[in-house]
Amino acid sequence: MKKNYKKLKELAVVCACDFAALTLSMLFALLIVDGTIAASWDLLYWYLANIGFVYVFFALFRLYFLVFNSVGIVDTLKIIAATVFIFIVNVPFVFVFDLVHFSTVFTFCVLLAILAMATRFSKRMYYTVKYSFSRKTKDKVRTLIVGAGNAGSMLIREIQTTDKIDYLPICIVDDDKDKVGKSINGVKVLGTTEDIPSLAERYAIDEILIAIPAAPKSQVKRIYELCKTTNCKVKTLPGIYQIVSGEASVSALREVQISDLLGRDQIQVNLDEIMGYIENQVIMVTGGGGSIGSELCRQIATHNPKQLIILDIYENNAYDIEQELKRSHPELNLLALIASVRDVTKIDDVFKKYRPDIIFNAAAHKHVPLMETSPNEAVKNNVFGTLNVARCADKYGAKTFVQISTDKAVNPTNVMGATKRICEMIIQTIGKHSKHTNFVAVRFGNVLGSNGSVIPLFEKQIADGGPVTVTHKDIIRYFMTIPEAVSLVLQAGAYAKGGQIFVLDMGEPVKIYDLAYNLIKLSGLEPNVDIDIVCTGLRPGEKLFEERLMDEEGMQKTPNGLINIANPIELDEELLWKSLDELHEAAVHETTDMRHLIAKLVPTYTIKN
C-alpha cells in the first residue's frame, strides 16, 4: 500500500510539472513570437486542447513510467517524438482554424520538449551536482574501473547519480588503445589492463570494479591475476544479461568468484535434446538431496517431467530440495521418498509402484578419506546400491539409467574411486544385455561448491582465521560448477545406449594451491600474511592428479564436443558376477581385507598405505 502511494505521489508530481511546463511554454511562445499575451477565447481553446494533447501523447510514449534516476538517451528520444506528434496535431490550429501563428506553435513545442526533459532529468542532475560538490571527501572509496564500454559508462553514471555507495571513480583502463586518453563522464581512461598495478599504486586505489560482463572467462582470469598483485578489493558485474535488463549498476556488482577464475567460459548444452527425453517422463533421482542430486532435480523440474521422484536416505536434504521445488515449481508433480539404495526390497517396491522412465543414480559415499577408513561401507553403498537400482531399472523396463561416476575411477588409488570403477563395470555389463534400458555412466572431476569439495572447506578455514590447508603444493584437479556438471549429465542421458562411459571435458586442470591463494585474495586478505596456507601432505588414497581415461580406453566424440565416449574395456562377465558375490559376502561380514578383494576385481586399483 505504501509503495503504491509513493508511485501515485510521484505520478501526481510529474503531471503537475508537465502542466506547469505546458503553461510556461505557451506563455513564453506568445511573448517571444507575438511580443504580448492578449486574452481571447481562441487562445483558451488552444490552451485547453493542448492540455489533452500533452497528457495523451506523453502517456502513449510512457513518459510517466520512467525510473527517473536512470533516464537516458532513449527517454530523450521519446520526449522528442511525443512533442513532434503534439506539433502535428497543432497544425490545424494554424492552417484550418487560424487561431495561432505557425512560429508560436513551433516555439511552444520546442520549449515544451526542453522543460519536459528538465523535469525527467532533474533527479539525475540533482545527484550529479551533489556528487560533484562532495567529490573530494575523504570517506569515498577510490575506484579504478576496468572497461570503457557500455557497462563501464553505465556503471560510472550510476555511481555519480546514486547515494547508495560512496564510490569515487578515479580512472578507467581499457585494452582498446583508441580509448586511452579519452574521458567518460569526467573520468579519464589512463591506460590498458596491463597498467592496473601501476595505476592502483599511483592513485591510491581502494577498489577495482571489472565492468566487462561480456568478456570470456580467460580474459577475466588474466585481469584478476593483474588485480591480485595490488592490495585492492575486486568486484565485477556478473553477466551481459545485467546490461540488457538495465541492472548494470552499483547494486549488481559482486565479488569475483572462484568460478570466474577457471579460465574458460561457461559450458553450454543443447536444451532441446534434454527436453526431448525428459519431458512427460517419470524421473527418479537417487541421492536427490545431495549437491549433485539436488541440482539435477532443479534442472529436471524446468523441463516438464510427468513426475519427479526424489529418493534419499538423509531426510533433511530431501526435505530441503522438496520444499524449494514446491515454492519454485508449484505445478510440478513431486514425490520425496526416504529410502536407501542398499535396501533391495525397498528399491524393488519403489520401481514396482512408480515405474520411473529415467533414473539418475547420484546416491553414493563420495568422501575419499572417510571411505579409506570405512571401505566396507563404500562397497555396500556404492557398489551394491548401484547394482540394486540398475537391476530394478532393467527389470521394470526403464528407458534410461544414468550413473554418476568420477575421474577417480580411472586408475584408482582410493577405495571410493575403485568402487566407482566397479559401478562403471556393472553399468557396462547390464547395459550390454538389457533389452529395454539404455545404460550410461558419466565420468567427471571435482565440482565447485559440492558437498566435500575444497571451496566450502577453504571458505570455512578463512572465516575461522586460517590456516588454509592444502595437501600438496603441486596437486591439480579438473573443476566444474555444479550447474555445468549437471547440465552435461542431463545431455549425456540423451546419448545413452549400451552401457557406455561418457567423459566430460572439464577444460584445463587447476592447482589447488592457486585456488586457496585466490580465495584468500578474494576475501580481501593477504595469503601467508593474514591467512597462512599450510601443505599437510597427501591424504590416504590421494593422487597429485586425476586422469580421465585408462590406458586401454580411447575417446569418441558426441554431437556435443564436450561429452566424449570412452571406448569400452572388454570384461570377463562370469568373473565379474562371481567376484561381486564374494565381495558382497565379505562386506556383509565386515571383512578386514576389503582393499585386496577390490583389487582382484579392479586390476588398475593401486593400494596405497
Side-chain angles (χ1 to χ4, degrees):
M1 187 72 181
K2 189 175 180 181
K3 188 176 180 182
N4 290 334
Y5 173 76
K6 185 179 179 182
K7 285 183 177 179
L8 287 172
K9 183 180 176 182
E10 188 176 71
L11 178 61
V13 169
V14 177
C15 287
C17 289
D18 283 343
F19 182 79
L22 160 70
T23 305
L24 289 172
S25 299
M26 196 166 283
L27 290 174
F28 280 112
L30 290 167
L31 285 171
I32 292 168
V33 177
D34 299 337
T36 183
I37 302 173
S40 69
W41 287 105
D42 290 346
L43 291 180
L44 179 62
Y45 295 147
W46 181 51
Y47 175 67
L48 293 174
N50 274 287
I51 291 174
F53 295 156
V54 167
Y55 286 129
V56 167
F57 284 110
F58 279 18
L60 285 174
F61 281 89
R62 301 190 66 78
L63 297 178
Y64 295 114
F65 306 97
L66 305 178
V67 179
F68 289 97
N69 58 350
S70 300
V71 177
I73 294 174
V74 172
D75 303 305
T76 302
L77 294 175
K78 286 182 178 181
I79 293 170
I80 294 171
T83 51
V84 167
F85 276 94
I86 291 169
F87 174 78
I88 292 170
V89 296
N90 267 278
V91 169
F93 289 104
V94 177
F95 297 109
V96 178
F97 303 114
D98 196 24
L99 299 183
V100 289
H101 296 110
F102 180 84
S103 300
T104 305
V105 172
F106 180 79
T107 305
F108 158 66
C109 289
V110 171
L111 292 174
L112 177 64
I114 293 170
L115 292 176
M117 288 180 199
T119 298
R120 284 153 181 81
F121 277 87
S122 59
K123 199 168 185 178
R124 277 191 59 188
M125 287 189 287
Y126 165 76
Y127 281 117
T128 301
V129 172
K130 181 181 176 183
Y131 171 84
S132 299
F133 278 107
S134 61
R135 190 176 174 125
K136 302 301 180 182
T137 55
K138 293 182 180 179
D139 58 348
K140 295 275 187 183
V141 178
R142 297 175 65 82
T143 306
L144 182 151
I145 310 289
V146 180
N150 289 335
S153 176
M154 292 172 72
L155 188 59
I156 292 169
R157 188 181 74 188
E158 174 74 9
I159 289 170
Q160 294 176 343
T161 58
T162 186
D163 55 0
K164 295 176 184 176
I165 298 179
D166 287 333
Y167 281 125
L168 176 62
I170 300 297
C171 59
I172 309 169
V173 296
D174 196 287
D175 286 332
D176 183 350
K177 293 184 179 179
D178 291 337
K179 294 178 180 178
V180 176
K182 298 179 180 178
S183 295
I184 297 176
N185 285 23
V187 184
K188 199 166 184 180
V189 183
L190 293 180
T192 66
T193 53
E194 297 296 329
D195 300 312
I196 288 174
S198 59
L199 290 173
E201 183 178 1
R202 186 188 312 166
Y203 293 100
I205 299 298
D206 300 312
E207 199 160 308
I208 298 171
L209 306 181
I210 301 175
I212 43 173
K217 288 291 176 71
S218 57
Q219 185 179 353
V220 174
K221 183 179 181 182
R222 181 185 63 81
I223 291 170
Y224 176 72
E225 292 297 324
L226 291 166
C227 292
K228 78 178 185 183
T229 62
T230 71
N231 291 319
C232 304
K233 287 190 70 175
V234 184
K235 289 183 179 177
T236 184
L237 283 175
I240 191 63
Y241 68 91
Q242 297 286 352
I243 306 302
V244 176
S245 63
E247 295 176 25
S249 64
V250 171
S251 60
L253 289 167
R254 61 160 171 79
E255 304 288 344
V256 176
Q257 297 172 350
I258 288 291
S259 58
D260 294 324
L261 310 178
L262 293 182
R264 57 173 174 76
D265 293 326
Q266 185 85 0
I267 290 171
Q268 304 295 323
V269 301
N270 187 332
L271 295 179
D272 291 334
E273 285 185 340
I274 295 174
M275 179 70 83
Y277 83 101
I278 292 289
E279 189 174 25
N280 204 33
Q281 302 295 308
V282 178
I283 316 293
M284 184 169 78
V285 180
T286 70
S291 49
I292 298 297
S294 60
E295 181 63 23
L296 274 166
C297 292
R298 290 185 192 95
Q299 294 196 27
I300 290 166
T302 66
H303 291 93
N304 302 321
K306 182 178 181 180
Q307 183 180 37
L308 174 58
I309 301 170
I310 302 169
L311 189 142
D312 203 297
I313 188 60
Y314 186 37
E315 61 182 283
N316 291 348
N317 281 351
Y319 177 80
D320 287 343
I321 185 62
E322 179 193 38
Q323 294 305 306
E324 178 188 328
L325 292 178
K326 281 183 176 180
R327 290 190 300 271
S328 60
H329 300 279
E331 78 292 346
L332 180 65
N333 182 357
L334 183 64
L335 175 66
L337 298 175
I338 303 305
S340 171
V341 293
R342 292 159 63 163
D343 187 341
V344 64
T345 304
K346 177 64 178 178
I347 295 302
D348 188 274
D349 184 64
V350 169
F351 272 83
K352 186 176 181 180
K353 281 183 179 178
Y354 302 106
R355 298 299 177 106
D357 299 299
I358 301 170
I359 300 93
F360 293 93
N361 189 43
H365 289 325
K366 307 178 186 73
H367 291 254
V368 170
L370 292 179
M371 294 307 99
E372 289 303 295
T373 56
S374 302
N376 291 342
E377 295 306 302
V379 168
K380 291 175 192 175
N381 197 66
N382 294 2
V383 175
F384 293 103
T386 296
L387 182 59
N388 291 339
V389 181
R391 278 177 168 168
C392 285
D394 185 41
K395 176 181 176 181
Y396 290 98
K399 295 177 182 177
T400 304
F401 182 100
V402 180
Q403 169 69 22
I404 306 300
S405 191
T406 170
D407 56 6
K408 292 178 176 61
V410 180
N411 301 322
T413 57
N414 54 68
V415 170
M416 193 282 282
T419 58
K420 283 291 192 175
R421 174 56 193 151
I422 298 173
C423 292
E424 292 180 350
M425 295 161 71
I426 290 170
I427 295 307
Q428 179 182 333
T429 304
I430 295 179
K432 183 178 179 181
H433 299 285
S434 179
K435 295 179 180 179
H436 311 285
T437 309
N438 291 318
F439 284 84
V440 64
V442 182
R443 188 187 289 167
F444 54 88
N446 292 267
V447 180
L448 287 172
S450 64
N451 295 333
S453 72
V454 294
I455 301 304
L457 174 62
F458 288 167
E459 289 173 336
K460 187 176 187 306
Q461 290 175 334
I462 292 169
D464 291 342
V468 171
T469 56
V470 178
T471 57
H472 195 286
K473 193 165 185 177
D474 295 324
I475 193 168
I476 61 173
R477 291 290 183 266
Y478 291 96
F479 280 97
M480 278 183 150
T481 64
I482 294 176
E484 281 182 319
V486 166
S487 61
L488 283 176
V489 167
L490 286 172
Q491 188 165 1
Y495 302 144
K497 59 181 179 180
Q500 298 160 313
I501 298 173
F502 288 163
V503 182
L504 305 189
D505 184 347
M506 304 186 72
E508 293 300 316
V510 178
K511 270 193 174 185
I512 302 296
Y513 188 92
D514 290 346
L515 279 181
Y517 188 96
N518 290 335
L519 194 58
I520 294 170
K521 290 288 286 186
L522 288 173
S523 302
L525 301 169
E526 191 63 30
N528 295 318
V529 177
D530 301 312
I531 300 285
D532 288 332
I533 303 177
V534 177
C535 294
T536 58
L538 292 174
R539 298 174 297 180
E542 192 169 43
K543 293 191 284 188
L544 278 178
F545 64 95
E546 303 287 0
E547 308 103 313
R548 293 185 299 158
L549 289 171
M550 287 175 279
D551 293 338
E552 300 89 341
E553 295 175 317
M555 287 245 260
Q556 304 171 34
K557 290 286 186 181
T558 64
N560 180 326
L562 297 170
I563 302 175
N564 303 297
I565 305 173
N567 293 326
I569 298 173
E570 289 298 321
L571 300 173
D572 185 331
E573 295 179 16
E574 185 178 345
L575 179 61
L576 172 65
W577 296 122
K578 181 181 178 182
S579 299
L580 283 173
D581 289 339
E582 293 174 0
L583 203 63
H584 185 267
E585 187 72 16
V588 169
H589 290 90
E590 296 297 331
T591 180
T592 58
D593 197 32
M594 181 53 73
R595 287 182 180 80
H596 290 94
L597 291 172
I598 292 173
K600 290 181 181 179
L601 193 54
V602 184
T604 56
Y605 171 40
T606 303
I607 301 174
K608 288 195 174 185
N609 297 321

